[in-house]
Amino acid sequence: MSDEILDHITNKEYEFGFVTPIESDKIAAGLNEDVIRLISSKKNEPEWLLNWRLEAYAIWEKMNEPTWAHVQYKKPDFQGISYYAAPKQKPQLNSLDEIDPELRRTMEKLGISMEEQKRLSGVAVDFVMDSVSVATSFKEKLGELGIIFCSISEAIQEHPDLVRKYIGAVVPRTDNFYAALNSAVFTDGSFCYIPKGVRCPMELSTYFRINEGGTGQFERTLVIADEGSYVSYLEGCTAPQRDENQLHAAVVELVALGDAEIKYSTVQNWYPGDKDGKGGVFNFVTKRGLCDGNRSKISWTQVETGSAITWKYPSCILKGDYSVGEFYSVAVTNHMQQADTGTKMIHLGKNTTSTIISKGISAGKSQNSYRGLVQINKSAEHSRNFSQCDSLLMTDRCGAHTFPYIEVKNKSSKVEHEATTSKIGEDQIFYCLQRGLDQEQAISMIVNGYAKEVLNKLPMEFAVEAQKLLAISLEGSVG
Amino acid sequence: MLHIKGLEAKIEDKEILRGLSLDVKPGEVHAIMGPNGSGKSTLASVLAGREDYEVTAGEVQFNGKDLLDMAPEIRSREGLFLAFQYPVEIPGVSNMNFLKAAVAEKRKHLGLEPLSAKEFLKLVSEKSKLVELDGQLANRAVNEGFSGGEKKRNEIFQMAMLEPTLGILDETDSGLDIDALRIVANGVNALRSPERSFVLITHYQRLLDYIVPDFVHVLYKGRIVKSGTKELALELEEKGYDWIKEEVDAHA
């Protein structure tokens, strides 16, 4: 391949690396009980939640950062982070016109202007800028169906019983170091409740953006699908360019009751650092869904192209009989990026099924690992899992690794695992060139074809965005 | 339209083409035959611009332009088409999207407006009939799960879609049964025109019963050592290559 093209593309800077100058209400760096009390009081939280946070903090203090992932990085200084930043603005927003014009421009640069979202795709957007939700649309329409879609802060005020019942029910505070930290200091996130038998008529969407330099972001998302309901939830993110590392430790909890279905899709494009690996977001996320009721279903689809370090395992606990868990993932790493990502499928109920399709793509000098656990417990009779883990190498300087863990504790279940590793074919590229496509088009086409099984699982408007992202992340990165 | 003079090329340190010259005029069909290892497929690859080969001497003019100076995709857009001996599979990429992108690039290069979806589909249905290609194949991933015959028919279909001025067919007949061979040959014959030339690279005379060439050349040790008309192919079929090898080696 031509070195010139390779250099040009691999030196391409992050397209969404801009900073929105908005005045910010930010507390001093550092973490202690007083900071947690301050966060809780700023958010006017009930006492039970303050106590819940303080307990989480006590748990966190006794924990150590996990070191088992196949990633290397300089540990964040947890006392060097400011744990609360909220854009200064009017406290109540009734219409889009009231939003800070700077913020509007940010959304427009990202191609996700509210008007367009409303007009074109019928998507309700809960836009999270730093830590406080600034706009929520379609609320009225959703309200008619009894659907609650709001910031978690608002849910704490308006629906405290639901929050109290489910927060930490799927990801307990003791689960891991980052989940404990998140539980202590989360400042915002999204909340969604779909009532019994309601099929949510539109894709619910949250766009995340890390905006304030030096602030960690600790989102907390809780989605509850009551019996027989359905919801498709979209999460997408881009971040401005930074010199220092930005820590992101979100917790996402999904609960599907009997016969309910949750489809959770993510396109993640946080700043990955420059080509030498400087800067970039640390993405240490805990995502887990509980298929609580019989015949419930949770499906995770993710397209991961960003972050300097990714540590993320969207998982399903299949508790209800005949419940279904799915994980579809495309993880792209380029330059010096490192990703250790995969899923856990914990089968507890009888006749539960899970499917894992993971497509890793490594370019530059990056390291891309799939780590997955399929655990079929004794009670989970007649359960099934199918896993397919494919790795595509774009250069001979990158790495692809697969760490599958399989535990089967009964004899009536069936587990299948398939794995392939391939290098992008010179023959394939030349075939495309001979038909008049240039090298970038060729690679974009081949890679999108490779990832198609996963991209097809995304809702239409997200799939288009994801294809563009793959192209931007990888074009010309063959070597 | 194609003018090759003194072409020399090597792969790694192995010299394969050693001063090959060939002239192809518009509308002509030239067959290139020769024993294994004589450089037939190398010639196709070098003309298409494969990077593995290094051109060490000679020149190639294509429609008055320096072909060797062009990137592979530019050669394609300028009207050079290579039907591959082993068409690769591109999983997950539909034949239609692939061709749509290819046709769009070519039209852009020629300064033409892009085809509308309707015009494109019309072109597809028209051209796929040439090689009796099932409508289903157009919607499947590029060559994925295609039989050998389907892959070769797909190559000719792509050629028909891209309307090149020069079609190079690299052992298109290999691995085809007699019915598939007839279909492929009919497709090529339908594409013959006073403006369009073909270079057929083949091992066997069989193909030339169906696509009748204007000239037949024998390639041996990287050079064209004998040229004639279709009767030469028949003679080769009957007598093999040994007599030519002896003739050439005696003079060497």
Side-chain angles (χ1 to χ4, degrees), chain A residues 70-81:
Chain A
H70 188 75
V71 292
Q72 288 175 336
Y73 59 94
K74 190 173 169 285
K75 284 186 180 177
D77 173 9
F78 292 99
Q79 296 301 336
I81 294 171

Side-chain angles (χ1 to χ4, degrees), chain A residues 32-301:
Chain A
N32 53 49
E33 284 200 4
D34 288 343
V35 166
I36 290 165
R37 285 176 202 280
L38 183 63
I39 291 170
S40 196
S41 81
K42 268 187 183 284
K43 302 184 78 62
N44 193 28
E45 287 177 354
E47 203 179 343
W48 67 263
L49 190 54
L50 172 62
N51 291 333
W52 193 81
R53 287 177 180 276
L54 290 171
E55 284 163 26
Y57 177 67
I59 292 163
W60 177 72
E61 276 202 307
K62 294 193 190 80
M63 291 177 118
N64 293 315
E65 279 188 80
T67 54
W68 42 262
H70 188 75
V71 292
Q72 288 175 336
Y73 59 94
K74 190 173 169 285
K75 284 186 180 177
D77 173 9
F78 292 99
Q79 296 301 336
I81 294 171
S82 167
Y83 285 86
Y84 185 81
K88 274 186 184 165
Q89 57 180 39
K90 292 178 199 165
Q92 293 284 311
L93 288 177
N94 297 317
S95 84
L96 292 170
D97 300 335
E98 293 175 39
I99 293 176
D100 187 327
E102 275 298 324
L103 217 91
R104 294 289 292 279
R105 267 195 288 278
T106 300
M107 291 193 268
E108 275 154 27
K109 267 193 214 173
L110 290 169
I112 52 164
S113 78
M114 304 284 281
E115 299 93 317
E116 201 175 58
Q117 289 287 348
K118 275 183 167 180
R119 194 169 48 83
L120 291 177
S121 48
V123 171
V125 176
D126 178 23
F127 188 88
V128 179
M129 183 80 161
D130 266 10
S131 313
V132 170
S133 296
V134 289
T136 303
S137 58
F138 276 96
K139 211 168 200 173
E140 284 172 35
K141 196 173 172 190
L142 294 173
E144 284 168 21
L145 292 163
I147 293 170
I148 304 165
F149 179 43
C150 61
S151 71
I152 193 118
S153 308
E154 198 182 328
I156 289 162
Q157 303 299 326
E158 306 290 329
H159 311 282
D161 296 343
L162 276 173
V163 176
R164 195 171 182 176
K165 184 172 176 187
Y166 288 108
I167 195 166
V170 186
V171 180
R173 290 165 293 178
T174 50
D175 190 81
N176 69 71
F177 182 83
Y178 300 110
L181 178 63
N182 175 289
S183 301
V185 303
F186 74 90
T187 46
D188 219 332
S190 297
F191 177 85
C192 173
Y193 172 79
I194 314 291
K196 270 183 198 173
V198 171
R199 192 176 168 87
C200 184
M202 61 190 81
E203 319 272 358
L204 298 182
S205 173
T206 306
Y207 284 87
F208 291 93
R209 211 174 142 73
I210 301 173
N211 192 59
E212 189 63 19
T215 58
Q217 193 160 24
F218 303 93
E219 296 289 336
R220 188 98 198 178
T221 299
L222 183 53
V223 179
I224 302 150
D226 212 329
E227 288 173 19
S229 68
Y230 168 83
V231 63
S232 170
Y233 193 93
L234 315 183
E235 174 202 65
C237 12
T238 59
Q241 191 158 344
R242 286 285 162 213
D243 275 331
E244 73 237 70
N245 290 310
Q246 293 176 297
L247 175 66
H248 187 96
V251 171
V252 176
E253 296 177 282
L254 312 182
V255 180
L257 302 181
D259 297 294
E261 179 177 350
I262 301 173
K263 189 172 159 56
Y264 193 102
S265 311
T266 306
V267 171
Q268 187 268 112
N269 183 26
W270 280 326
Y271 181 54
D274 66 16
K275 61 186 163 53
D276 300 316
K278 196 179 175 210
V281 170
F282 288 5
N283 189 18
F284 302 134
V285 182
T286 307
K287 289 185 167 180
R288 193 173 302 153
L290 173 64
C291 283
D292 196 50
N294 294 345
R295 296 169 302 277
S296 56
K297 179 176 175 182
I298 288 177
S299 181
W300 298 100
T301 305

Side-chain angles (χ1 to χ4, degrees), chain B residues 3 21 35 56 58 62 96 99 116 119 146 168 173 192 196 213-215 225 235:
Chain B
H3 178 77
S21 297
T56 49
F62 178 51
M96 291 290 264
L99 272 173
S116 69
E119 289 166 327
F146 284 29
I168 302 169
D173 51 333
R192 287 179 76 160
R196 185 172 294 138
D214 299 304
F215 301 96
V225 294
E235 195 178 351

